């Protein structure tokens, strides 16, 4: 059974930093990443890592960094220079055997 657990969200002032963590278990994951959903908006892909391939959305490029600890099946999202528009629920998504699994989400709120 696959489990996906996120941590690290919170309230931060604009310009601050947060680090999100996502620990997955129960399978071998070919792809791990982060999506976010702001109020009234569609969920969007923020960053994803699959093997040596990285994707980072243009809206966060240069500010957010995704990394993975393969031994621990954990993916991190280091978020720097946060902006109010980064406020959203951040979801971890992992892929195993072509199936996606989602975490429960963690709230990130950036105050101006």
């Amino acid at each position: 059974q696959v489990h996906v657990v996120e941590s690290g969200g919170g309230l931060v002032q604009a310009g601050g930093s947060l680090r999100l963590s996502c620990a997955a278990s129960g399978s071998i994951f070919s792809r791990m990443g982060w999506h976010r959903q702001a109020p009234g908006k569609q969920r969007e892909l923020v960053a994803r890592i699959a093997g040596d391939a990285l994707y980072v959305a243009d809206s966060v490029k240069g500010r957010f960094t995704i990394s993975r600890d393969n031994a621990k099946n954990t993916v991190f999202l280091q978020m720097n220079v946060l902006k109010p528009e980064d406020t959203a629920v951040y979801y971890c998504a992992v892929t195993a055997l072509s199936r996606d699994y989602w975490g429960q989400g963690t709230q990130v709120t950036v105050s101006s």
Side-chain angles (χ1 to χ4, degrees):
Q1 188 173 3
V2 173
H3 294 279
V4 182
V5 180
E6 303 121 331
S7 61
L11 172 65
V12 64
Q13 288 188 333
S17 298
L18 283 174
R19 189 187 195 214
L20 304 183
S21 299
C22 170
S25 60
S27 188
I28 297 173
F29 303 100
S30 57
R31 188 170 65 185
M32 303 181 81
W34 293 93
H35 295 66
R36 69 184 180 185
Q37 188 166 19
K41 295 188 177 181
Q42 288 189 330
R43 190 173 297 190
E44 62 173 348
L45 175 62
V46 176
R48 185 167 59 198
I49 185 167
D52 294 330
L54 291 177
Y55 168 84
V56 180
D58 287 341
S59 58
V60 304
K61 199 166 289 183
R63 301 187 297 119
F64 291 12
T65 302
I66 187 169
S67 60
R68 177 175 176 173
D69 183 335
N70 289 322
K72 297 181 179 179
N73 267 341
T74 300
V75 63
F76 305 97
L77 186 68
Q78 178 66 44
M79 306 185 293
N80 298 327
V81 195
L82 281 159
K83 303 176 180 181
E85 51 263 43
D86 295 318
T87 295
V89 178
Y90 284 70
Y91 296 91
C92 178
V94 300
T95 303
L97 299 176
S98 300
R99 179 177 174 180
D100 293 334
Y101 300 86
W102 294 84
Q104 78 284 357
T106 185
Q107 177 70 46
V108 171
T109 302
V110 185
S111 63
S112 57

